[in-house]
Amino acid sequence: MRQCSDAPARRRIPRTKLTVPGPPADLVSRPRLLTVLDGASEAALVFVGAPAGFGKTVLLAEWARRRGPGAVAWLAADAEDNDDHLFWSAVLETLGRCGRLPGGNPLRLLAVPEAPSTDLGFLSTVADALDALPEPVVLVVDSAQEITAPEPWHGLQALVRHQPAGLCLAVSSRREPPLPLGRVRLADRLVEVGAAALRFTAEEAETLLAAADRAIPRDQVARVVAGTGGWPAGLRLATASAARHGNLRDFETGRDDAVLAYLADEALASLTPAHRELLRTISICDEVPAGLATVLCGRTDAEAMLRELGEPATRLVDTAGTPPHHRVTPLLRTYLRAQQERRAPDRTRALHATAERWFAGHHRPAPALLHSVRSGNPARVGDLLREHAVTLFLAGEHDVLRQALTLLEDRRIAAGAPAALVSAALCLEAAETSAARLHLARAEASWPARPAPELPLLRRLTHARLAQLDRTPAGALRAAEQADEEPSAGSALRGLAAVHRAGVLIARGHRGPAREALVRVLGTAEQVHQDFTVARCLTLLGELACHDGDYRAMDTLARRAESRLPHQDFPRSVQGAQARALMAYGALLRGEPADCVEHAKRVGQLLGDAPARAARDLRMFAETLRGAAEFELGTWHAGLRRMRRARNRLGTGRGCPAGHAALCAVLEQRAALRLGAAGQARETVRWALPVLAGSGELLLMRARTQLRLGRHHAASTVLRTLADDAPPLELAWVPIEASLLGVQAALAAGARDRAARLLGDALRAAEPAGVRFPFVFAPPELVGFLTSRLGRLGTGERFAGEVLALRRRLRTPPMPAPLTERERGVLRLLPTQRSIDEIAQDLTVSPNTVKTHVRGIYAKLDVRSRREAVTIAQERGLLDAEVADFTV
């Protein structure tokens, strides 16, 4: 063994080069990636490879800290490590600092020869010393792309070939290192983490962006993730930009100079001028199909240059498909495009015109229309609209249509009847019925003497949609029937007309034929890429599945529909709101209240304050679901208050669809009774009575009331009527809830055998539909009985286990003891500063009775004073508008 005395001494190495970096202030732990790295215990090599800004160092440093002191030797590589002697001095120094290296290990005294990477004796000594370690050490070589000399890599290759049991080599680099990765991969001893895995998920991004003091609202996280492609550095730039400006406007429009400077320094600095110019030129396009770059740049080698820009070391261009199409990474594209528009607006418009001609010549009307708008050529925009407006509407390209129509309107150019009808249809999909009527009037005023065959059909369909959104069923049926009479052979509108016909069948109660028709239309529309028609079909099929109680299918169909609707700049979308409402409903029934809240919020964002009656009903439907979910998450009073507001805004029960009314009533009454708000429960039943008279939902609510009053025999009698008479139902899951209510009544009567039978019925009905809601949020006595029956539930055993596991995972706080009606009356008078005697006079009871109620209020609210009671009551929403009447 060489000692320090008979060979050149090791070079001095800065301590910072060998120290694991500390965590950044905004560290987001990545358990999913740390788990992958933890699997490297038997691996010879770990490779974390991605371009700049992907968080390679942060990830490896967190992993190193998790492995504990003495388990990791850290080496932050830089250009000086191209000196072979310095590199191996650093390697031995950092290994020697490891606690797992025994005091007598040769590596602590081993000298570094002049040419260590070609000195077989030196390398053998290192390998043998590592092989003798009692526990393996991880040697991290971070930023390995800085090592460009062949000698250090030659030495590392030798170590990897020797495979010492005490060493795991972990390398992070912007490019693949010159190590035998293929051989190690074949031996299943390679752990790889690439750029795709390092991109932040929506959940990780939300955690990171929360550091921006909510300058980035939660509902904008998905948009930021899409705009940055999940690039960690891009997300941090977004956070910093939002903190500086208070919003994301400058970041998203490419006008934040700090972001531009980072991109120039990190992403573009190493490129040749030709590559930078290519990126600037093609940045005008969201997508660059094969051949377009050559036309835009005038370079025959453009495709080859794009492939170079897509290599792992840079990854500035994503390439996919056959033939290939290219995309500049989203954030870089935004900033290059903004820079180009500012510096060379005339050239930018000329490039857009070139792109428009190319896309039009390749039968791509959507990007052709978009580039014609961006080139500022209204004549060309009008030509493309006349030829392709209907096709683009059916394909779901609504955002580009709106941009084109806005350009013509800004230039005060009359677009004619076809464009006016498409404008009306677009307004209706945003639930803007008043604006739609205006465009319909314009279409009538400019109606041609000899309209194209599809024009009358489009007019009929638009009128049918208007009547549907206005909640005028007779008008919707009449307009749809008239549309059915229009000749549609050969028209692109055939599928949409068939969807309207299916709507007529559903309104008449012919659900089977409607489903068959929708399935046929769906297949055809998918083949011709009519995404809007596809989404309409899927949404209606989802509503049919909902009515049938097939809630798993409902959720699947709603998600498919939502995926067909592009995330456009224009926020409003009735179609998207309908799909999201079904997804919110499905989440609640699955027992996932947090997901229900998020979907319900999205419904409100997609509808805004649109005036259409159907939009109002859908908003209130989603608000009810959100209130019910918030209630189950533990914000009981706020959730119940939200449900009450939604019901009041719907007006009378007769003013909304029966299914909506049934859901609003059943959920609100359930929550009100559980919280002891008997008055609100009675109010809810009275509201629903005109719509639900004779329904199973009304019987369910009556049984709940009887059980709440302690009349378990009366509740059982009502439930038997519900089971035996099979009254009509709007909510297919009501029988499951009724069976569980029967379990509670049977337990109250001491009839455990009957309770067990009803519990089995409920489990057998709930499992196929995936309805966990009534079980997960059941009262404690029912959950206790379910738990006691484990092992004796037969086919329901697995489902019961899922329900109980979900309850444990949610960990919702226990329901507070409800205030009695008299306690609520006393509570409302506490903020008035009346004395106990004065409150007793107002309520016509004795002062001692009031004192008893006050003690009960203090105990249930867990307070000790009148002031605390008022404060807590206000926070929980127990003091509503009725308090104002007493305090005036």
Side-chain angles (χ1 to χ4, degrees):
M1 179 184 71
R2 290 181 175 85
Q3 304 297 325
C4 291
S5 57
D6 59 10
R10 298 180 188 177
R11 301 272 290 276
R12 286 182 58 84
I13 307 298
R15 182 179 295 272
T16 54
K17 185 181 176 72
L18 310 179
T19 303
V20 177
D26 60 352
L27 173 69
V28 176
S29 184
R30 322 272 306 266
R32 63 184 177 86
L33 299 180
L34 294 171
T35 301
V36 173
L37 294 176
D38 286 338
S41 56
E42 300 298 325
L45 184 60
V46 173
F47 174 48
V48 180
F54 271 84
K56 302 181 293 295
T57 300
V58 173
L59 175 65
L60 283 175
E62 184 182 6
W63 184 50
R65 289 191 297 272
R66 273 170 47 113
R67 293 184 68 87
V72 176
W74 187 275
L75 172 57
D78 53 38
E80 292 185 356
D81 290 302
N82 288 300
D83 180 331
D84 197 29
H85 189 274
L86 177 64
F87 172 75
W88 282 102
S89 295
V91 168
L92 294 183
E93 184 67 25
T94 190
L95 286 171
R97 290 158 58 98
C98 278
R100 289 187 178 180
L101 206 70
N105 189 283
L107 295 182
R108 292 190 177 277
L109 300 175
L110 185 64
V112 180
E114 286 293 344
S117 289
T118 56
D119 190 319
L120 296 181
F122 170 77
L123 294 174
S124 296
T125 302
V126 173
D128 291 343
L130 290 171
D131 199 49
L133 292 180
E135 292 183 276
V137 168
V138 176
L139 170 61
V140 175
V141 180
D142 187 38
S143 300
Q145 74 279 348
E146 298 293 335
I147 305 175
T148 56
E151 290 82 10
W153 289 115
H154 180 81
L156 288 176
Q157 288 169 10
L159 272 189
V160 173
R161 279 196 304 273
H162 283 301
Q163 295 185 357
L167 175 69
C168 173
L169 177 63
V171 176
S172 81
S173 176
R174 297 183 185 181
R175 61 180 65 88
E176 192 168 292
L179 293 172
L181 298 184
R183 184 191 313 156
V184 181
R185 187 182 293 116
L186 188 63
D188 198 25
R189 300 196 65 197
L190 175 66
V191 172
E192 293 180 90
V193 178
L198 287 165
R199 295 183 191 278
F200 270 45
T201 65
E203 293 76 15
E204 291 167 343
E206 185 172 330
T207 303
L208 176 66
L209 298 181
D213 296 326
R214 279 300 168 208
I216 302 177
R218 190 174 181 180
D219 59 2
Q220 295 182 22
V221 170
R223 196 173 77 217
V224 176
V225 173
T228 59
W231 183 35
L235 293 167
R236 287 188 164 87
L237 290 169
T239 301
S241 180
R244 285 193 300 273
H245 304 292
N247 56 56
L248 285 168
R249 190 178 303 112
D250 284 0
F251 177 79
E252 292 183 327
T253 57
R255 295 182 179 277
D256 191 311
D257 291 337
V259 178
L260 181 60
Y262 178 89
L263 294 173
D265 291 342
E266 293 294 330
L268 302 176
S270 62
L271 301 182
T272 66
H275 282 93
R276 287 197 293 271
E277 179 60 25
L278 172 66
L279 284 173
R280 273 194 294 269
T281 300
I282 66 171
S283 70
I284 66 155
C285 297
D286 298 333
E287 176 184 306
V288 186
L292 177 57
T294 299
V295 174
L296 289 175
C297 303
R299 296 184 64 107
T300 57
D301 60 347
E303 291 292 322
M305 293 173 69
L306 286 173
R307 285 194 294 272
E308 291 172 7
L309 291 167
E311 290 178 353
T314 52
R315 211 53 177 272
L316 300 178
V317 173
D318 294 323
T319 301
T322 306
H325 56 269
H326 314 281
R327 291 176 184 268
V328 180
T329 52
L331 186 62
L332 181 61
R333 181 175 69 237
T334 297
Y335 275 80
L336 289 176
R337 182 183 295 172
Q339 187 183 44
Q340 174 104 320
E341 289 172 350
R342 287 196 302 269
R343 293 182 176 178
D346 292 339
R347 180 172 184 267
T348 302
R349 284 191 291 271
L351 287 171
H352 281 302
T354 301
E356 180 270 311
R357 289 191 295 271
W358 190 92
F359 279 113
H362 286 77
H363 311 291
R364 300 277 302 276
L369 181 59
L370 178 62
H371 284 287
S372 71
V373 171
R374 290 175 175 172
S375 70
N377 186 344
R380 185 58 181 152
V381 168
D383 292 341
L384 290 169
L385 280 175
R386 280 187 287 275
E387 187 175 356
H388 299 293
V390 172
T391 302
L392 292 174
F393 177 79
L394 296 174
E397 299 286 356
H398 295 182
D399 190 46
V400 66
L401 283 171
R402 287 191 179 95
Q403 291 185 48
L405 291 164
T406 300
L407 175 68
L408 295 184
E409 189 170 339
D410 290 345
R411 301 289 181 90
R412 298 185 179 181
I413 298 172
L421 284 177
V422 170
S423 295
L426 290 170
C427 289
L428 291 176
E429 291 317 304
E432 294 284 358
T433 49
S434 299
R437 288 192 182 88
L438 178 61
H439 287 297
L440 281 169
R442 289 177 177 172
E444 295 297 340
S446 59
W447 197 257
R450 294 182 178 178
E454 65 185 10
L455 211 54
L457 178 57
L458 179 59
R459 177 169 61 181
R460 295 294 188 192
L461 293 176
T462 307
H463 279 288
R465 185 67 165 157
L466 175 61
Q468 181 188 47
L469 293 177
D470 266 346
R471 289 284 188 231
T472 52
L477 286 172
R478 185 169 58 254
E481 288 166 347
Q482 290 171 347
D484 196 18
E485 296 169 1
E486 294 286 354
S488 59
S491 169
L493 291 165
R494 240 181 344 204
L496 194 57
V499 173
H500 277 282
R501 287 195 292 274
V504 172
L505 291 173
I506 293 172
R508 291 174 173 171
H510 305 312
R511 293 187 176 85
R515 182 180 287 103
E516 293 173 3
L518 288 169
V519 169
R520 285 196 300 271
V521 174
L522 177 61
T524 303
E526 285 181 323
Q527 289 176 1
V528 296
H529 307 293
Q530 291 184 350
D531 282 2
F532 176 71
T533 306
V534 168
R536 288 283 295 275
C537 286
L538 291 169
T539 304
L540 283 175
L541 287 169
E543 291 174 356
L544 287 171
C546 174
H547 185 273
D548 294 341
D550 191 351
Y551 298 113
R552 295 183 193 274
M554 174 195 76
D555 188 69
T556 300
L557 290 163
R559 289 178 185 278
R560 285 178 61 193
E562 203 268 344
S563 70
R564 290 288 185 151
L565 298 168
H567 300 284
Q568 300 170 334
D569 294 336
F570 192 82
R572 290 185 179 173
S573 169
V574 172
Q575 193 66 51
Q578 288 171 327
R580 284 283 183 163
L582 291 176
M583 291 161 66
Y585 191 16
L588 183 69
L589 292 180
R590 287 195 307 274
E592 298 172 354
D595 286 351
C596 176
V597 169
E598 291 306 310
H599 290 312
K601 286 181 180 177
R602 185 62 180 147
V603 172
Q605 294 161 6
L606 288 167
L607 293 174
D609 58 354
R613 292 181 184 178
R616 179 207 63 180
D617 294 346
L618 198 54
R619 275 196 301 269
M620 296 309 104
F621 178 79
E623 280 292 282
T624 298
L625 290 170
R626 180 178 172 183
E630 289 173 340
F631 183 92
E632 303 303 350
L633 286 168
T635 53
W636 306 288
H637 300 286
L640 188 58
R641 194 163 60 247
R642 186 181 296 279
M643 287 189 273
R644 186 181 195 177
R645 283 200 305 267
R647 172 172 50 80
N648 287 336
R649 288 173 183 170
L650 280 171
T652 64
R654 295 184 188 277
C656 68
H660 288 200
L663 186 72
C664 290
V666 167
L667 290 178
E668 185 181 354
Q669 191 230 18
R670 178 182 183 276
L673 288 176
R674 289 181 66 196
L675 206 55
Q680 185 171 343
R682 288 193 297 271
E683 177 187 312
T684 303
V685 175
R686 286 196 299 269
W687 174 84
L689 188 57
V691 177
L692 300 182
S695 70
E697 285 82 7
L698 192 62
L699 289 174
L700 175 72
M701 289 191 286
R702 286 175 178 166
R704 282 177 179 163
T705 303
Q706 295 299 321
L707 191 62
R708 184 67 182 174
L709 293 172
R711 302 169 184 167
H712 51 82
H713 291 299
S716 296
T717 300
V718 176
L719 291 171
R720 276 196 297 273
T721 302
L722 173 57
D724 297 341
D725 294 354
L729 288 170
E730 292 293 335
L731 309 176
W733 56 273
V734 158
I736 300 170
E737 175 87 357
S739 293
L740 292 180
L741 207 61
V743 173
Q744 292 176 254
L747 290 174
R752 294 182 68 84
D753 289 343
R754 178 156 57 90
R757 186 179 68 255
L758 289 169
L759 179 61
D761 293 342
L763 288 169
R764 282 189 294 275
E767 183 171 15
V771 177
R772 301 189 184 97
F773 170 73
F775 298 88
V776 174
F777 304 111
E781 64 272 16
L782 198 153
V783 175
F785 183 66
L786 174 63
T787 304
S788 71
R789 295 289 301 170
L790 289 176
R792 293 175 289 173
L793 294 173
T795 57
E797 194 76 33
R798 185 179 65 83
F799 186 70
E802 290 177 2
V803 165
L804 294 173
L806 184 55
R807 266 186 71 91
R808 289 191 297 271
R809 192 161 66 248
L810 288 171
R811 288 187 288 187
T812 55
M815 179 75 67
L819 299 177
T820 66
E821 284 297 303
R822 182 59 73 181
E823 287 170 342
R824 283 174 174 269
V826 172
L827 178 62
R828 292 187 187 104
L829 291 172
L830 291 184
T832 65
Q833 300 303 314
R834 285 175 170 84
S835 67
I836 295 296
D837 291 340
E838 290 171 330
I839 292 175
Q841 289 178 357
D842 286 343
L843 298 177
T844 63
V845 296
S846 71
N848 284 336
T849 300
V850 173
K851 290 177 182 178
T852 299
H853 292 322
V854 169
R855 284 196 294 272
I857 292 170
Y858 286 4
K860 291 177 180 179
L861 298 184
D862 192 24
V863 298
R864 295 184 179 181
S865 69
R866 185 169 180 164
R867 180 185 295 275
E868 284 184 283
V870 171
T871 301
I872 294 297
Q874 288 172 336
E875 290 176 355
R876 295 186 181 178
L878 296 173
L879 296 175
D880 52 21
E882 296 173 79
V883 175
D885 297 335
F886 287 99
T887 55
V888 172

